Amino acid sequence: MKTRHAIRTALALLLVTSSAMAAGLDAQEQQIVANVKRHTPDALKLLERSVLINSGTLNPTGVREVGAVYAKAFEAIGFKAHWVDMPAEMKRAGHLVAERSGDKGKRVLLIGHLDTVFEKDSPVPPWQSDGSKVRGQGVSDMKGGDVIILLALRALNDAGALDGRTVRAVFTGDEERVGSPAEVARAALIDAAKQSDVALAFEGATKDEQGRDAATIGRRASGGWHLNVTARTGHSAGVFGKDGYGAVYEAARVLNAFREQLIEPDLTFNAATIVAGTSAKWDDGESQGQAFGKTNVIPRDAQVRGDLRYLTAEQGAKARERMQAIVDQALPGTRSKISFHESYPPMAPTPGNLKVLEAYSQASADAGLNAIVPFPPGLRGAGDVQFVAPLIDSLDGLGAAGGGAHTPDEWLEIASIERGAIRAALLIHRLTR
């Protein structure tokens, strides 16, 4: 409770301080902004070039090709770039890592991803521009964010603001469908975080419910649960008696108890699928199940699968404990077991994350752009930053403005590339000096 109170207090302070414009930019920062504006046309060409390459997660060749394009851009501004391969059995392309080393200021980790949800057979046109917006495959999720990183770094490099600084960038090749096991798929990212002080992730920019520019200080964990029920079977005339209640009533009891007893802010536990009957099977690989049963037979088997999302590790642990307690109260003639898994750890909205947001908002205001407010953590989906947030202060949502992610209508606001790069460049500069 003390932590939540501290976060609420810090949020209130941030909203007050962010509403006032500061003194502006010093001479070097003005040069950095001018550099961003001068290089923006080249950045837009880089964006188009990379978007025209299909890089669906399951298209390793395309992912590597986009990685090679970005690697050259990193090397042109003094970064050492290398490719991290994944084991062949994981069927993932791997990741691009680029870095510069120094001994001044905070060590900054920049996070992007190369892959998109649009595979090689996607009918979605890769690039359609009307001069103010671009529609296409992965334009905002998140090749726009990748290009913002490179544009910001180019502006900093031209101003001499990267000399003696440590900046690492990790562009993963499987953010949309993380390879398994996750500890292998995210080893390079976690290793980079352990050598850094703060992480900035460039998933798409957002606005809060009041339409204000926002960034992400927290993301809920993404995981799941599997309820397996077995019961005494027999003639339906014996239900509720000596033969017990059957698997379906037991599954219904558990699910309804979850609904009645567990609902709280930032916690969800969606029950997504259920198969039940005299026999029931589920295939995780195909995401489908089969069941057999008759109305005059008490069902023996039931399987339920769902997801579980929570904002802090403590909230997740408490939810699992309460779910287990409900499962343990089985109806007569039944037995229930529940198991859990976590795909993405939570990114809790810590005071450290709020401090990074405050610096980001101040940089934006100083550049004559809007102040940045916190995006409600419970409304944002999962992302790569969550693997590093337990280790270092982190901020997400520094990427391009747009919408329609993961749909044929995905789009990007072209002007947000320059705007995002100015904000990012100033933040990186201030963190590293």
Side-chain angles (χ1 to χ4, degrees):
M1 293 301 293
K2 290 182 179 179
T3 300
R4 288 189 177 183
H5 176 72
I7 290 172
R8 286 196 295 268
T9 301
L11 276 169
L13 179 61
L14 174 64
L15 290 173
V16 172
T17 58
S18 293
S19 64
M21 295 291 287
L25 309 177
D26 63 28
Q28 188 177 36
E29 290 177 332
Q30 291 176 26
Q31 181 185 0
I32 290 168
V33 171
N35 290 344
V36 169
K37 293 180 178 181
R38 184 171 70 255
H39 294 310
T40 294
D42 290 336
L44 295 176
K45 292 178 182 177
L46 177 63
L47 175 62
E48 181 176 6
R49 182 182 175 191
S50 63
V51 171
L52 288 173
I53 302 170
N54 176 276
S55 58
T57 311
L58 303 184
N59 177 14
T61 300
V63 173
R64 292 190 187 97
E65 187 176 349
V66 173
V69 169
Y70 290 153
K72 289 182 179 179
F74 276 114
E75 290 167 348
I77 54 175
F79 280 73
K80 294 181 179 179
H82 68 276
W83 190 260
V84 178
D85 285 310
M86 294 292 101
E89 61 270 19
M90 289 178 62
K91 299 181 180 179
R92 296 295 186 271
H95 317 306
L96 172 65
V97 177
E99 51 195 347
R100 286 181 61 150
S101 298
D103 56 4
K104 297 179 181 179
K106 291 184 180 295
R107 302 168 298 172
V108 177
L109 170 62
L110 309 175
I111 302 173
H113 67 81
L114 305 167
D115 64 318
T116 78
V117 299
F118 303 96
E119 299 297 341
K120 289 182 69 175
D121 59 354
S122 171
V124 176
W127 180 273
Q128 292 180 329
S129 174
D130 63 7
S132 62
K133 289 184 178 180
V134 175
R135 295 183 182 274
Q137 299 181 9
V139 287
S140 61
D141 186 19
M142 66 170 290
K143 292 177 181 178
D146 298 335
V147 168
I148 285 174
I149 290 174
L150 285 159
L151 177 55
L153 292 176
R154 184 177 181 184
L156 289 165
N157 181 69
D158 285 2
L162 291 180
D163 296 343
R165 275 69 173 183
T166 296
V167 179
R168 293 182 177 84
V170 177
F171 287 5
T172 60
D174 60 348
E175 194 274 346
E176 301 295 358
R177 295 181 66 177
V178 177
S180 180
E183 56 267 26
V184 175
R186 289 297 171 268
L189 181 60
I190 293 171
D191 182 62
K194 290 177 179 178
Q195 302 176 66
S196 304
D197 300 306
V198 61
L200 307 177
F202 287 75
E203 291 280 7
T206 56
K207 292 184 181 293
D208 72 356
E209 294 170 329
Q210 299 179 43
R212 298 173 297 184
D213 290 346
T216 301
I217 59 169
R219 286 177 178 265
R220 295 192 298 165
S222 176
W225 50 275
H226 173 202
L227 177 68
N228 186 55
V229 181
T230 56
R232 189 180 305 135
T233 189
H235 196 285
S236 62
V239 73
F240 311 140
K242 65 180 180 63
D243 288 328
Y245 283 70
V248 171
Y249 277 118
E250 168 62 3
R253 176 198 70 82
V254 171
L255 297 180
N256 191 55
F258 287 174
R259 179 187 62 83
E260 290 182 333
Q261 300 177 34
L262 300 184
I263 293 176
E264 63 181 55
D266 297 322
L267 176 69
T268 56
F269 38 89
N270 180 52
T273 64
I274 180 169
V275 290
T278 304
S279 64
K281 297 186 296 183
W282 180 264
D283 186 327
D284 279 318
E286 298 294 330
S287 292
Q288 63 182 14
Q290 291 183 326
F292 169 81
K294 295 183 177 181
T295 58
N296 61 353
V297 178
I298 298 172
R300 183 189 66 191
D301 300 324
Q303 294 191 41
V304 186
R305 278 166 171 74
D307 81 347
L308 180 63
R309 297 173 186 265
Y310 42 88
L311 193 53
T312 67
E314 293 76 15
Q315 185 180 43
K318 181 181 177 182
R320 290 188 292 268
E321 181 180 340
R322 293 166 68 192
M323 293 171 81
Q324 183 65 62
I326 290 170
V327 167
D328 289 342
Q329 301 168 14
L331 290 171
T334 72
R335 183 177 65 214
S336 295
K337 293 183 179 180
I338 191 168
S339 59
F340 303 93
H341 71 272
E342 183 179 82
S343 302
Y344 286 81
M347 176 186 179
T350 64
N353 294 355
L354 283 165
K355 188 174 181 180
V356 181
L357 174 59
E358 183 177 359
Y360 184 54
S361 181
Q362 193 66 68
S364 179
D366 289 348
L369 302 171
N370 294 333
I372 312 295
V373 300
F375 189 76
L379 300 182
R380 189 101 199 212
D384 273 341
V385 70
Q386 291 172 239
F387 290 100
V388 307
L391 303 173
I392 53 177
D393 295 337
S394 304
L395 186 67
D396 201 354
L398 280 68
H406 295 198
T407 76
D409 295 320
E410 182 170 329
W411 63 275
L412 171 146
E413 178 200 353
I414 292 175
S416 70
I417 298 296
E418 179 179 292
R419 186 170 66 243
I422 289 173
R423 288 168 168 166
L426 292 174
L427 176 60
I428 295 167
H429 175 58
R430 294 179 179 186
L431 289 172
T432 56
R433 73 180 179 185

